[in-house]
Amino acid sequence: MRQQAKVLQEELSKIKESYSKGPYKVVVTGEQKVDYIEIDGEEQKELVRVINDAMKNVQKKSAKKMMEMGGGLSGLLGGMK
């Protein structure tokens, strides 16, 4: 199971979607992580780090809440029957 999760994570990291609008360019991976941000032609490495750290913290809190409320993803899917 752990090996499958690792393979899936590797595959998701290969998926990249780029979006540009005006002076902004963003690249996001299939892992739901920001890979790159550019504003007015300047790469914004610190902004990428801040956003990814915030997302990581929210994901941890969300996972904890799901576990408290019925066993995580399986609990959510079980409630959708």
Side-chain angles (χ1 to χ4, degrees), residues 1-15:
M1 184 81 149
R2 184 173 252 174
Q3 182 63 27
Q4 288 175 324
K6 187 174 183 177
V7 169
L8 177 59
Q9 186 175 7
E10 288 173 7
E11 289 301 311
L12 291 175
S13 71
K14 294 176 186 176
I15 298 170

Side-chain angles (χ1 to χ4, degrees), residues 18-64:
S18 179
Y19 184 76
S20 297
K21 187 168 187 175
Y24 308 105
K25 179 179 179 182
V26 177
V27 179
V28 180
T29 70
E31 296 175 289
Q32 307 297 307
K33 293 181 181 176
V34 176
D35 192 54
Y36 179 83
I37 296 175
E38 182 181 296
I39 301 173
D40 289 327
E42 288 189 38
E43 184 176 3
Q44 304 292 317
K45 290 182 181 181
E46 187 63 23
L47 185 56
V48 168
R49 277 192 288 275
V50 168
I51 291 170
N52 284 328
D53 287 347
M55 294 295 289
K56 187 183 210 179
N57 289 336
V58 166
Q59 288 168 349
K60 285 180 183 179
K61 289 178 181 180
S62 297
K64 182 179 178 185

